[in-house]
PDB file of all heavy atoms in Angstrom:
ATOM      1  N   VAL A  44      71.746  76.546 -55.139  1.00 98.00           N
ATOM      2  CA  VAL A  44      72.842  75.909 -55.878  1.00 98.00           C
ATOM      3  C   VAL A  44      74.093  76.776 -55.823  1.00 98.00           C
ATOM      4  O   VAL A  44      75.202  76.269 -55.648  1.00 98.00           O
ATOM      5  CB  VAL A  44      72.410  75.623 -57.334  1.00 98.00           C
ATOM      6  CG1 VAL A  44      73.592  75.220 -58.191  1.00 98.00           C
ATOM      7  CG2 VAL A  44      71.347  74.535 -57.360  1.00 98.00           C
ATOM      8  N   LYS A  45      73.927  78.079 -55.938  1.00 98.00           N
ATOM      9  CA  LYS A  45      75.087  78.981 -55.843  1.00 98.00           C
ATOM     10  C   LYS A  45      75.734  78.896 -54.466  1.00 98.00           C
ATOM     11  O   LYS A  45      76.970  78.891 -54.353  1.00 98.00           O
ATOM     12  CB  LYS A  45      74.672  80.420 -56.137  1.00 98.00           C
ATOM     13  CG  LYS A  45      74.437  80.688 -57.601  1.00 98.00           C
ATOM     14  CD  LYS A  45      74.047  82.139 -57.840  1.00 98.00           C
ATOM     15  CE  LYS A  45      73.814  82.414 -59.314  1.00 98.00           C
ATOM     16  NZ  LYS A  45      73.431  83.808 -59.567  1.00 98.00           N
ATOM     17  N   ASP A  46      74.920  78.836 -53.411  1.00 98.00           N
ATOM     18  CA  ASP A  46      75.468  78.691 -52.062  1.00 98.00           C
ATOM     19  C   ASP A  46      76.209  77.365 -51.917  1.00 98.00           C
ATOM     20  O   ASP A  46      77.272  77.295 -51.297  1.00 98.00           O
ATOM     21  CB  ASP A  46      74.350  78.772 -51.012  1.00 98.00           C
ATOM     22  CG  ASP A  46      73.758  80.162 -50.894  1.00 98.00           C
ATOM     23  OD1 ASP A  46      74.412  81.134 -51.356  1.00 98.00           O
ATOM     24  OD2 ASP A  46      72.648  80.285 -50.337  1.00 98.00           O
ATOM     25  N   ASN A  47      75.651  76.306 -52.504  1.00 98.00           N
ATOM     26  CA  ASN A  47      76.292  74.998 -52.440  1.00 98.00           C
ATOM     27  C   ASN A  47      77.614  75.015 -53.199  1.00 98.00           C
ATOM     28  O   ASN A  47      78.602  74.444 -52.736  1.00 98.00           O
ATOM     29  CB  ASN A  47      75.355  73.931 -53.008  1.00 98.00           C
ATOM     30  CG  ASN A  47      75.834  72.536 -52.717  1.00 98.00           C
ATOM     31  OD1 ASN A  47      76.580  72.299 -51.775  1.00 98.00           O
ATOM     32  ND2 ASN A  47      75.409  71.594 -53.535  1.00 98.00           N
ATOM     33  N   ILE A  48      77.663  75.676 -54.342  1.00 98.00           N
ATOM     34  CA  ILE A  48      78.907  75.783 -55.111  1.00 98.00           C
ATOM     35  C   ILE A  48      79.962  76.531 -54.306  1.00 98.00           C
ATOM     36  O   ILE A  48      81.129  76.122 -54.265  1.00 98.00           O
ATOM     37  CB  ILE A  48      78.644  76.468 -56.464  1.00 98.00           C
ATOM     38  CG1 ILE A  48      77.877  75.535 -57.385  1.00 98.00           C
ATOM     39  CG2 ILE A  48      79.947  76.920 -57.121  1.00 98.00           C
ATOM     40  CD1 ILE A  48      77.402  76.181 -58.671  1.00 98.00           C
ATOM     41  N   GLN A  49      79.560  77.610 -53.646  1.00 98.00           N
ATOM     42  CA  GLN A  49      80.506  78.370 -52.832  1.00 98.00           C
ATOM     43  C   GLN A  49      81.036  77.514 -51.683  1.00 98.00           C
ATOM     44  O   GLN A  49      82.235  77.511 -51.408  1.00 98.00           O
ATOM     45  CB  GLN A  49      79.832  79.626 -52.298  1.00 98.00           C
ATOM     46  CG  GLN A  49      80.746  80.511 -51.501  1.00 98.00           C
ATOM     47  CD  GLN A  49      80.040  81.765 -50.995  1.00 98.00           C
ATOM     48  OE1 GLN A  49      78.849  81.938 -51.197  1.00 98.00           O
ATOM     49  NE2 GLN A  49      80.781  82.627 -50.341  1.00 98.00           N
ATOM     50  N   TYR A  50      80.158  76.766 -51.027  1.00 98.00           N
ATOM     51  CA  TYR A  50      80.583  75.879 -49.937  1.00 98.00           C
ATOM     52  C   TYR A  50      81.552  74.819 -50.456  1.00 98.00           C
ATOM     53  O   TYR A  50      82.591  74.554 -49.842  1.00 98.00           O
ATOM     54  CB  TYR A  50      79.361  75.215 -49.292  1.00 98.00           C
ATOM     55  CG  TYR A  50      79.711  74.068 -48.391  1.00 98.00           C
ATOM     56  CD1 TYR A  50      80.265  74.296 -47.139  1.00 98.00           C
ATOM     57  CD2 TYR A  50      79.513  72.751 -48.797  1.00 98.00           C
ATOM     58  CE1 TYR A  50      80.610  73.246 -46.307  1.00 98.00           C
ATOM     59  CE2 TYR A  50      79.855  71.700 -47.980  1.00 98.00           C
ATOM     60  CZ  TYR A  50      80.404  71.942 -46.744  1.00 98.00           C
ATOM     61  OH  TYR A  50      80.756  70.900 -45.922  1.00 98.00           O
ATOM     62  N   LEU A  51      81.236  74.197 -51.591  1.00 98.00           N
ATOM     63  CA  LEU A  51      82.096  73.154 -52.134  1.00 98.00           C
ATOM     64  C   LEU A  51      83.451  73.710 -52.567  1.00 98.00           C
ATOM     65  O   LEU A  51      84.480  73.047 -52.380  1.00 98.00           O
ATOM     66  CB  LEU A  51      81.397  72.454 -53.297  1.00 98.00           C
ATOM     67  CG  LEU A  51      80.184  71.612 -52.904  1.00 98.00           C
ATOM     68  CD1 LEU A  51      79.505  71.061 -54.153  1.00 98.00           C
ATOM     69  CD2 LEU A  51      80.548  70.489 -51.963  1.00 98.00           C
ATOM     70  N   ASN A  52      83.480  74.909 -53.128  1.00 98.00           N
ATOM     71  CA  ASN A  52      84.763  75.515 -53.487  1.00 98.00           C
ATOM     72  C   ASN A  52      85.605  75.787 -52.243  1.00 98.00           C
ATOM     73  O   ASN A  52      86.822  75.593 -52.251  1.00 98.00           O
ATOM     74  CB  ASN A  52      84.544  76.803 -54.273  1.00 98.00           C
ATOM     75  CG  ASN A  52      84.151  76.534 -55.704  1.00 98.00           C
ATOM     76  OD1 ASN A  52      84.482  75.503 -56.273  1.00 98.00           O
ATOM     77  ND2 ASN A  52      83.426  77.465 -56.308  1.00 98.00           N
ATOM     78  N   THR A  53      84.955  76.211 -51.162  1.00 98.00           N
ATOM     79  CA  THR A  53      85.672  76.422 -49.903  1.00 98.00           C
ATOM     80  C   THR A  53      86.236  75.104 -49.386  1.00 98.00           C
ATOM     81  O   THR A  53      87.387  75.043 -48.928  1.00 98.00           O
ATOM     82  CB  THR A  53      84.725  77.040 -48.848  1.00 98.00           C
ATOM     83  OG1 THR A  53      84.193  78.246 -49.374  1.00 98.00           O
ATOM     84  CG2 THR A  53      85.456  77.335 -47.564  1.00 98.00           C
ATOM     85  N   GLU A  54      85.441  74.042 -49.467  1.00 98.00           N
ATOM     86  CA  GLU A  54      85.914  72.725 -49.026  1.00 98.00           C
ATOM     87  C   GLU A  54      87.064  72.232 -49.894  1.00 98.00           C
ATOM     88  O   GLU A  54      88.014  71.633 -49.388  1.00 98.00           O
ATOM     89  CB  GLU A  54      84.762  71.712 -49.056  1.00 98.00           C
ATOM     90  CG  GLU A  54      83.791  71.861 -47.922  1.00 98.00           C
ATOM     91  CD  GLU A  54      84.435  71.592 -46.574  1.00 98.00           C
ATOM     92  OE1 GLU A  54      85.029  70.512 -46.392  1.00 98.00           O
ATOM     93  OE2 GLU A  54      84.347  72.467 -45.709  1.00 98.00           O
ATOM     94  N   ILE A  55      86.998  72.471 -51.196  1.00 98.00           N
ATOM     95  CA  ILE A  55      88.083  72.061 -52.088  1.00 98.00           C
ATOM     96  C   ILE A  55      89.371  72.779 -51.710  1.00 98.00           C
ATOM     97  O   ILE A  55      90.444  72.164 -51.652  1.00 98.00           O
ATOM     98  CB  ILE A  55      87.705  72.332 -53.563  1.00 98.00           C
ATOM     99  CG1 ILE A  55      86.649  71.333 -54.021  1.00 98.00           C
ATOM    100  CG2 ILE A  55      88.935  72.272 -54.468  1.00 98.00           C
ATOM    101  CD1 ILE A  55      86.046  71.656 -55.367  1.00 98.00           C
ATOM    102  N   ASN A  56      89.283  74.080 -51.443  1.00 98.00           N
ATOM    103  CA  ASN A  56      90.480  74.835 -51.040  1.00 98.00           C
ATOM    104  C   ASN A  56      91.038  74.329 -49.719  1.00 98.00           C
ATOM    105  O   ASN A  56      92.254  74.171 -49.569  1.00 98.00           O
ATOM    106  CB  ASN A  56      90.152  76.323 -50.943  1.00 98.00           C
ATOM    107  CG  ASN A  56      89.900  76.950 -52.290  1.00 98.00           C
ATOM    108  OD1 ASN A  56      90.364  76.447 -53.310  1.00 98.00           O
ATOM    109  ND2 ASN A  56      89.147  78.029 -52.310  1.00 98.00           N
ATOM    110  N   ARG A  57      90.139  74.056 -48.760  1.00 97.00           N
ATOM    111  CA  ARG A  57      90.596  73.547 -47.456  1.00 97.00           C
ATOM    112  C   ARG A  57      91.275  72.196 -47.610  1.00 97.00           C
ATOM    113  O   ARG A  57      92.353  71.945 -47.060  1.00 97.00           O
ATOM    114  CB  ARG A  57      89.419  73.432 -46.492  1.00 97.00           C
ATOM    115  CG  ARG A  57      89.826  72.976 -45.090  1.00 97.00           C
ATOM    116  CD  ARG A  57      88.627  72.648 -44.224  1.00 97.00           C
ATOM    117  NE  ARG A  57      87.824  71.554 -44.740  1.00 97.00           N
ATOM    118  CZ  ARG A  57      88.120  70.255 -44.624  1.00 97.00           C
ATOM    119  NH1 ARG A  57      89.242  69.893 -44.031  1.00 97.00           N
ATOM    120  NH2 ARG A  57      87.308  69.333 -45.101  1.00 97.00           N
ATOM    121  N   MET A  58      90.683  71.309 -48.402  1.00 96.00           N
ATOM    122  CA  MET A  58      91.258  69.978 -48.597  1.00 96.00           C
ATOM    123  C   MET A  58      92.565  70.031 -49.374  1.00 96.00           C
ATOM    124  O   MET A  58      93.476  69.241 -49.117  1.00 96.00           O
ATOM    125  CB  MET A  58      90.253  69.078 -49.308  1.00 96.00           C
ATOM    126  CG  MET A  58      89.099  68.670 -48.455  1.00 96.00           C
ATOM    127  SD  MET A  58      87.992  67.629 -49.413  1.00 96.00           S
ATOM    128  CE  MET A  58      86.727  67.317 -48.208  1.00 96.00           C
ATOM    129  N   SER A  59      92.678  70.947 -50.315  1.00 97.00           N
ATOM    130  CA  SER A  59      93.933  71.101 -51.060  1.00 97.00           C
ATOM    131  C   SER A  59      95.057  71.554 -50.139  1.00 97.00           C
ATOM    132  O   SER A  59      96.184  71.053 -50.228  1.00 97.00           O
ATOM    133  CB  SER A  59      93.757  72.096 -52.196  1.00 97.00           C
ATOM    134  OG  SER A  59      92.852  71.620 -53.142  1.00 97.00           O
ATOM    135  N   MET A  60      94.740  72.485 -49.247  1.00 96.00           N
ATOM    136  CA  MET A  60      95.748  72.940 -48.281  1.00 96.00           C
ATOM    137  C   MET A  60      96.130  71.799 -47.336  1.00 96.00           C
ATOM    138  O   MET A  60      97.315  71.607 -47.019  1.00 96.00           O
ATOM    139  CB  MET A  60      95.242  74.147 -47.502  1.00 96.00           C
ATOM    140  CG  MET A  60      95.176  75.396 -48.347  1.00 96.00           C
ATOM    141  SD  MET A  60      94.478  76.875 -47.576  1.00 96.00           S
ATOM    142  CE  MET A  60      94.752  76.694 -45.864  1.00 96.00           C
ATOM    143  N   GLU A  61      95.140  71.037 -46.887  1.00 94.00           N
ATOM    144  CA  GLU A  61      95.426  69.903 -45.995  1.00 94.00           C
ATOM    145  C   GLU A  61      96.270  68.855 -46.720  1.00 94.00           C
ATOM    146  O   GLU A  61      97.215  68.304 -46.148  1.00 94.00           O
ATOM    147  CB  GLU A  61      94.115  69.281 -45.524  1.00 94.00           C
ATOM    148  CG  GLU A  61      94.293  68.176 -44.514  1.00 94.00           C
ATOM    149  CD  GLU A  61      92.968  67.640 -44.014  1.00 94.00           C
ATOM    150  OE1 GLU A  61      91.948  68.336 -44.105  1.00 94.00           O
ATOM    151  OE2 GLU A  61      92.972  66.495 -43.529  1.00 94.00           O
TER     152      GLU A  61
END
Side-chain angles (χ1 to χ4, degrees):
V44 169
K45 285 181 180 180
D46 290 342
N47 192 24
I48 288 172
Q49 183 179 3
Y50 167 74
L51 292 175
N52 283 333
T53 303
E54 284 296 305
I55 288 170
N56 290 336
R57 183 190 62 79
M58 288 180 181
S59 295
M60 289 176 26
E61 185 177 338

